[in-house]
């Protein structure tokens, strides 16, 4: 007689063909994947999987859950990176190496027990690689739900540690799924380049204000010290121009400029100002110095960001131009979506629409004009170089935005090709139109043949005789002549008619004038 057990339909149709006596054969272990690590539970009551309603009641309280399931082994993750790898492997249906080692040590051996798993793909992989029979069905899902409900009491983990693991893993897994990296945030570039442009404007206005303000006291210094930063530092160190003799400007100015500054300070025609005025001017100089230092720091930050986010783009057009292109497009992805023709005139939209409206020539370049390669080209070649550079820049942005490779890849080859094209245009090298295409044409000098020149042969000459006209040609000529005569007559007649009409009009005007004169005379009398 065979043992019969009333099984539900979902267990009878399970993919691993679960038999009734399999519930009672060997030990039953449950693999539970938590945010903190892998846990193996031993199921004390194997028959509990038959009744789903009774299974839910078993996990209502922590005491009942501890009787139903006991923790056999627990492998804790060292950090969030390992937890992310494990979670990503489970999501992709792969077997993690750490899980494989854990199951080999603590899991059931071949033919001696079964392992309840949440995912069917994971169960198939465990069965193939480790030979452990796995169980995955609706009753196992309810069992996992109950374990998750009483996880704190079963695993004995501190609440703060558990929350930290859950938050860290959820954030890192979300970033992994979205393929998000904090180093590849293009919004930082957009904000940095906008701030850099604003800083340049502010620095220019502040420096001009310092020059104008201090110029009342020492007007000759503007021509001696041309650099804004040097001017601000020297004013801050000097104060009143009479102190220029006793101050050492070697850290700020070159020797020649320092000497000239001290000489001009003695014979300056500026007005005298109070100490309070000098204090305020020096405070403004401090602002200029701090802003220039911060500007240099911000530029270094922008360069590092551009090399991390868009290395190919920054290699093609430079960090500043690349950042301005990204900021103008809105993001790196939107710049990558735009074609090369759009990249070429990006930043010259007003000029483009004005040209389309007035039917003039459209602009050849926009922001890309400030790239070093376009600046090196001659004025007549700037349009060609900007077109080619825009094409290579579009490819570079696509590799940066959508490619997986790190570092400069396409940018090196693209820049070399643009430089080669620039050399070709400036050098004026001839190229073959057909054949190999890119090979240079070698022009050879004309060499006279070594053989003696041939003598003139008058017998080979041919005399041309006037060909007789065909009757058809004569008829055509006569028709053409008659047509010309008719056209002339018609023109003459038209001119006569116009003259007559004009004469009649003039006569009518004269009559009207005479009548008006008569009326005026009558009124006068």
């Amino acid at each position: 007689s065979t043992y019969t057990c009333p099984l539900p339909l979902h267990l009878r149709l399970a993919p691993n063909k679960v038999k009734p006596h399999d519930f009672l054969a060997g030990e039953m272990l449950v693999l539970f994947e938590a945010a903190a690590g892998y846990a193996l539970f031993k199921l004390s009551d194997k028959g509990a999987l038959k009744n789903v309603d009774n299974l839910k009641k078993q996990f209502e309280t922590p005491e009942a859950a501890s009787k139903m399931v006991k923790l056999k082994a627990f492998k804790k993750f060292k950090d969030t990176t390992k937890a992310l790898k494990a979670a990503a492997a489970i999501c992709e249906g792969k077997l993690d190496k750490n899980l494989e080692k854990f199951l080999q040590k603590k899991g059931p051996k071949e033919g001696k027990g079964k392992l309840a798993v949440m995912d069917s793909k994971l169960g198939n992989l465990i069965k193939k690689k480790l030979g452990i029979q796995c169980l995955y069905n609706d009753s196992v899902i309810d069992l996992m739900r109950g374990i998750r409900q009483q996880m704190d009491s079963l695993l004995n983990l501190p609440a703060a540690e558990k929350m930290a693991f859950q938050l860290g893993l959820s954030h890192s897994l979300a970033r992994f799924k979205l393929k998000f990296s904090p180093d590849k945030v293009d919004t930082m570039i957009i904000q940095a380049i906008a701030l850099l442009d604003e800083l340049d404007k502010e620095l220019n206005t502040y420096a001009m204000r310092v020059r104008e303000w201090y110029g009342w006291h020492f007007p000759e210094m503007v021509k001696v010290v041309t650099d804004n930063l040097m001017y601000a530092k020297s004013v801050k160190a000097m104060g009143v121009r009479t102190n220029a003799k006793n101050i050492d400007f070697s850290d700020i100015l070159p020797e020649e400029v320092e000497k000239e500054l001290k000489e001009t300070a003695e014979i300056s025609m500026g007005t005298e100002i109070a100490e309070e005025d000098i204090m305020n001017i020096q405070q403004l100089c401090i602002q200029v110095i701090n802003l220039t230092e911060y500007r240099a720091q911000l530029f270094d930050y922008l360069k590092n960001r551009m090399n991390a986010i868009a290395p190919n783009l920054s290699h093609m057009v430079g960090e500043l131009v690349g950042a301005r292109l990204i900021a103008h497009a809105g993001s790196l992805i939107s710049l990558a979506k735009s074609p090369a023709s759009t990249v070429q005139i990006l930043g010259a939209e007003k000029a483009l629409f004005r040209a389309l409206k007035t039917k003039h020539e459209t602009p050849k370049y926009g922001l890309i004009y400030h790239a070093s390669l376009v600046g090196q080209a001659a004025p007549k070649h700037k349009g060609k170089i900007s077109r080619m550079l825009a094409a290579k820049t579009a490819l570079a942005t696509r590799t940066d935005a959508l490619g997986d490779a790190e570092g400069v890849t396409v940018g090196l080859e693209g820049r070399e090709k643009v430089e080669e094209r620039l050399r070709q245009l400036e050098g004026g090298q001839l190229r073959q139109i057909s054949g190999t295409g890119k090979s240079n044409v070698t022009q050879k000098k004309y060499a006279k043949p070594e053989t003696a020149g041939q003598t003139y042969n008058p017998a080979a000459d041919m005399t041309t005789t006037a060909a007789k006209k065909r009757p058809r040609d004569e008829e055509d000529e006569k028709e053409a002549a008659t047509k010309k005569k008719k056209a002339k007559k018609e023109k003459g007649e038209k001119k006569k008619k116009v003259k007559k009409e004009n004469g009649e009009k003039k006569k009518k005007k004269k009559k009207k004038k005479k009548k008006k004169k008569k009326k005026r005379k009558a009124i006068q009398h």
Side-chain angles (χ1 to χ4, degrees):
S1 63
T2 56
Y3 175 81
T4 56
C5 178
L7 282 173
L9 184 64
H10 61 270
L11 290 182
R12 279 181 255 161
L13 299 175
N16 58 347
K17 296 178 183 179
V18 179
K19 293 179 182 178
H21 62 272
D22 285 346
F23 285 112
L24 305 174
E27 65 175 354
M28 175 69 74
L29 296 178
V30 181
L31 177 65
F32 183 75
E33 301 101 6
Y38 296 116
L40 265 179
F41 292 100
K42 187 177 180 181
L43 191 66
S44 57
D45 188 7
K46 296 172 187 175
L49 290 173
K50 302 172 195 174
N51 195 354
V52 178
D53 296 329
N54 189 27
L55 190 67
K56 289 178 182 177
K57 290 177 183 178
Q58 293 289 338
F59 286 97
E60 284 179 356
T61 58
E63 292 80 11
S66 60
K67 288 178 183 177
M68 183 72 183
V69 172
K70 289 181 181 179
L71 184 66
K72 186 181 179 184
F74 180 70
K75 187 171 185 180
K76 193 177 177 181
F77 295 127
K78 289 182 180 178
D79 50 10
T80 51
T81 53
K82 288 191 175 181
L84 175 62
K85 280 183 182 179
I90 290 164
C91 290
E92 291 171 4
K94 294 176 183 177
L95 187 62
D96 188 31
K97 288 182 181 179
N98 293 324
L99 177 61
E100 191 177 345
K101 289 177 184 178
F102 176 62
L103 289 173
Q104 282 174 353
K105 287 181 182 179
K106 304 290 182 180
K109 294 178 182 179
E110 293 183 21
K112 291 188 177 180
K114 288 182 74 69
L115 183 68
V117 185
M118 186 77 173
D119 189 19
S120 60
K121 289 181 183 177
L122 184 65
N124 288 326
L125 286 168
I126 291 166
K127 192 176 181 182
K128 280 180 184 178
K129 288 191 176 182
L130 303 174
I132 299 168
Q133 284 192 343
C134 296
L135 182 70
Y136 35 89
N137 48 41
D138 292 345
S139 56
V140 171
I141 292 166
D142 291 328
L143 179 65
M144 294 287 185
R145 195 178 287 120
I147 291 168
R148 191 174 288 107
Q149 189 179 348
Q150 302 296 336
M151 186 171 60
D152 298 338
S153 62
L154 291 170
L155 293 176
N156 295 322
L157 280 173
E161 190 179 355
K162 189 192 84 171
M163 281 297 292
F165 267 109
Q166 284 177 350
L167 279 171
L169 182 59
S170 61
H171 288 171
S172 54
L173 187 62
R175 285 173 186 163
F176 175 78
K177 282 192 173 181
L178 294 168
K179 292 187 176 178
F180 172 81
S181 174
D183 296 331
K184 290 217 165 193
V185 183
D186 50 4
T187 51
M188 302 298 170
I189 287 172
I190 295 164
Q191 298 296 329
I193 193 66
L195 180 59
L196 198 71
D197 292 337
E198 287 173 8
L199 274 174
D200 288 335
K201 289 177 185 176
E202 292 294 325
L203 270 169
N204 286 331
T205 52
Y206 277 28
M208 288 303 295
R209 184 60 56 206
V210 169
R211 285 172 181 272
E212 286 179 14
W213 201 351
Y214 196 72
W216 286 98
H217 179 60
F218 192 3
E220 294 85 2
M221 189 177 169
V222 177
K223 291 180 181 179
V224 177
V225 183
T226 54
D227 187 58
N228 292 331
L229 183 61
M230 286 181 181
Y231 190 93
K233 282 182 178 179
S234 54
V235 169
K236 183 193 168 188
M238 181 170 51
V240 187
R241 67 170 183 266
T242 53
N243 299 331
K245 288 181 182 180
N246 306 323
I247 293 166
D248 183 23
F249 293 102
S250 58
D251 297 336
I252 303 165
L253 301 170
E255 288 182 8
E256 296 173 359
V257 179
E258 184 183 356
K259 189 178 179 183
E260 190 180 353
L261 180 67
K262 287 180 179 180
E263 287 174 359
T264 51
E266 292 177 4
I267 55 167
S268 178
M269 297 291 288
T271 58
E272 296 294 330
I273 53 174
E275 288 184 5
E276 191 178 355
D277 299 330
I278 288 290
M279 287 285 289
N280 285 310
I281 293 166
Q282 284 177 336
Q283 286 294 323
L284 185 58
C285 290
I286 290 164
Q287 291 290 324
V288 172
I289 293 160
N290 291 336
L291 279 173
T292 47
E293 287 174 358
Y294 177 62
R295 199 252 178 212
Q297 183 188 345
L298 185 68
F299 180 67
D300 292 336
Y301 164 76
L302 183 64
K303 279 178 74 175
N304 294 331
R305 273 283 172 204
M306 280 297 294
N307 289 322
I309 294 168
N312 292 294
L313 177 63
S314 55
H315 187 77
M316 284 298 301
V317 294
E319 290 85 4
L320 282 174
V321 179
R324 284 196 177 94
L325 286 170
I326 291 168
H328 200 82
S331 65
L332 184 64
I333 291 168
S334 60
L335 183 64
K337 286 176 183 176
S338 55
S341 57
T342 307
V343 173
Q344 186 182 350
I345 58 166
L346 207 66
E349 287 83 7
K350 283 185 180 179
L352 174 67
F353 292 124
R354 196 191 308 121
L356 291 171
K357 193 175 181 181
T358 55
K359 294 181 180 178
H360 288 294
E361 289 183 358
T362 53
K364 292 178 182 177
Y365 28 68
L367 290 167
I368 209 167
Y369 178 80
H370 301 287
S372 60
L373 287 168
V374 180
Q376 290 169 18
K380 61 180 180 180
H381 301 315
K382 282 185 190 292
K384 291 178 182 178
I385 294 298
S386 63
R387 195 185 309 118
M388 189 174 184
L389 183 63
K392 300 300 177 187
T393 304
L395 288 173
T397 49
R398 283 162 197 168
T399 51
D400 289 330
L402 307 168
D404 295 328
E406 292 181 0
V408 184
T409 53
V410 182
L412 288 167
E413 189 181 347
R415 193 177 175 87
E416 283 175 7
K417 285 183 179 178
V418 178
E419 285 173 354
E420 187 186 350
R421 176 66 175 157
L422 183 61
R423 284 194 297 271
Q424 175 198 338
L425 288 170
E426 288 182 350
Q429 292 179 348
L430 292 171
R431 300 264 173 182
Q432 284 184 354
I433 294 168
S434 60
T436 53
K438 291 184 180 178
S439 62
N440 294 331
V441 178
T442 54
Q443 287 185 331
K444 295 179 181 178
K445 289 184 178 180
Y446 176 72
K448 289 183 179 180
E450 293 178 359
T451 56
Q454 294 179 358
T455 56
Y456 179 70
N457 185 14
D461 290 344
M462 291 179 70
T463 56
T464 56
T465 55
K468 290 182 180 180
K469 287 184 178 180
R470 293 178 186 178
R472 195 169 184 180
D473 294 340
E474 288 176 0
E475 288 175 3
D476 292 340
E477 284 180 0
K478 285 177 182 179
E479 284 180 6
T482 51
K483 282 180 181 178
K484 282 181 180 179
K485 285 178 182 180
K486 283 181 181 179
K488 282 181 180 180
K489 282 181 182 180
E490 286 175 358
K491 282 183 180 179
E493 288 174 359
K494 281 181 180 178
K495 283 180 181 179
K496 285 177 183 179
K497 282 181 181 178
V498 172
K499 282 181 181 179
K500 282 180 182 179
E501 287 174 358
N502 290 335
E504 287 175 358
K505 284 179 181 178
K506 285 179 181 179
K507 285 178 182 179
K508 285 179 180 178
K509 283 181 180 179
K510 284 179 180 179
K511 284 179 181 180
K512 284 180 180 179
K513 283 180 180 180
K514 284 179 182 180
K515 284 180 181 179
K516 284 179 180 179
K517 282 181 181 179
K518 285 178 181 180
K519 283 180 181 179
R520 283 173 188 169
K521 286 178 180 179
I523 290 162
Q524 285 175 2
H525 286 301

